[in-house]
Amino acid sequence: MKIKEIIVVEGRDDTTAIKRAVDADTIETNGSAVNKETIEKIKLAQSIRGVIIFTDPDYPGQKIRDTITKHVAGCKHAFIPKEMALQKQGKGVGVEHASVEAIRASLKDAHIMRESPVEQITQDDLICAQLIGGDGAKERREILGSILKIGYTNGKQLHKRLMMFQITKEEFANALKVMRQEEKNV
């Protein structure tokens, strides 16, 4: 599987994992404090080939996404579910721990965040779906993020991410049905 875009990852181990799964070039941020030089490389990569941001499903990974998104428009975002990025002993989480299949699936489902999102799903919709506040909301957001392939978010970020990826009411409703079915099966 050949990837046209350049994939932005956190470090060398992530690059190794990506290259095991696909034929692609990477830019490494080397941590969550993304410097100006790295931002300039990402801007150049975006203008020439496009960029997919593929960071770990944790707080530092989200911080890197936010920093790059603030400075470089039009990047695609690939998300790997946390449970697919856990180290075998359960001590660490990251792209470098993911299987070849999980990496390929995440890259295949990369999304573009929109600059001027239109609200299709409201905060009230999220509350009614029990995705914000209350028992089990975190677990429901984890399931929903996995189904929609937008990654896990906290309650505040969920609304923003649904807007940025322009998830439609229909897609949201279908994902809720699947989520509720998964909850019944547990």
Side-chain angles (χ1 to χ4, degrees):
M1 183 173 167
K2 173 88 171 129
I3 305 290
K4 175 188 79 116
E5 296 91 349
I6 295 173
I7 303 171
V8 176
V9 294
E10 294 180 41
R12 191 176 1 170
D13 291 340
D14 297 328
T15 292
T16 301
I18 295 291
K19 291 187 182 277
R20 264 185 309 180
V22 296
D23 182 6
D25 296 313
T26 62
I27 294 174
E28 297 166 5
T29 65
N30 297 311
S32 59
V34 183
N35 63 38
K36 286 182 180 183
E37 182 182 323
T38 302
I39 291 292
E40 291 306 314
K41 278 187 209 173
I42 296 168
K43 282 181 181 177
L44 179 62
Q46 175 64 359
S47 70
I48 295 171
R49 290 176 45 193
V51 165
I52 299 173
I53 302 170
F54 194 26
T55 56
D56 296 346
D58 57 10
Y59 177 78
Q62 186 59 46
K63 186 177 175 196
I64 293 167
R65 274 182 203 283
D66 293 344
T67 301
I68 295 169
T69 300
K70 190 163 102 179
H71 296 286
V72 186
C75 295
K76 289 182 180 178
H77 292 258
F79 296 94
I80 192 155
K82 192 172 189 172
E83 65 273 7
M84 292 183 166
L86 292 173
Q87 187 178 28
K88 301 266 187 276
Q89 293 79 22
K91 299 272 188 220
V93 63
V95 171
E96 73 268 22
H97 304 302
S99 69
V100 167
E101 295 78 22
I103 291 170
R104 286 179 182 162
S106 297
L107 289 169
K108 182 179 74 67
D109 294 324
H111 298 276
I112 295 180
M113 286 189 168
R114 299 290 171 212
E115 299 299 315
S116 302
V118 176
E119 182 180 57
Q120 296 187 45
I121 297 140
T122 66
Q123 288 281 3
D124 287 342
D125 294 330
L126 300 179
I127 292 167
C128 288
Q130 300 175 312
L131 294 164
I132 299 176
D135 292 338
K138 178 183 179 188
E139 291 77 13
R140 283 189 284 281
R141 286 193 307 274
E142 285 176 351
I143 295 168
L144 186 78
S146 180
I147 294 165
L148 292 172
K149 307 210 183 318
I150 61 172
Y152 168 73
T153 62
N154 62 31
K156 251 184 196 176
Q157 287 291 316
L158 178 59
H159 183 250
K160 180 180 177 186
R161 203 168 280 178
L162 291 169
M163 285 186 5
M164 295 301 275
F165 289 122
Q166 290 294 279
I167 303 297
T168 65
K169 283 236 184 221
E170 183 181 349
E171 290 170 320
F172 182 70
N174 289 337
L176 286 178
K177 284 180 193 170
V178 173
M179 179 192 75
R180 290 191 178 109
Q181 188 60 47
E182 286 187 24
E183 282 184 311
K184 286 180 185 175
N185 294 338
V186 173

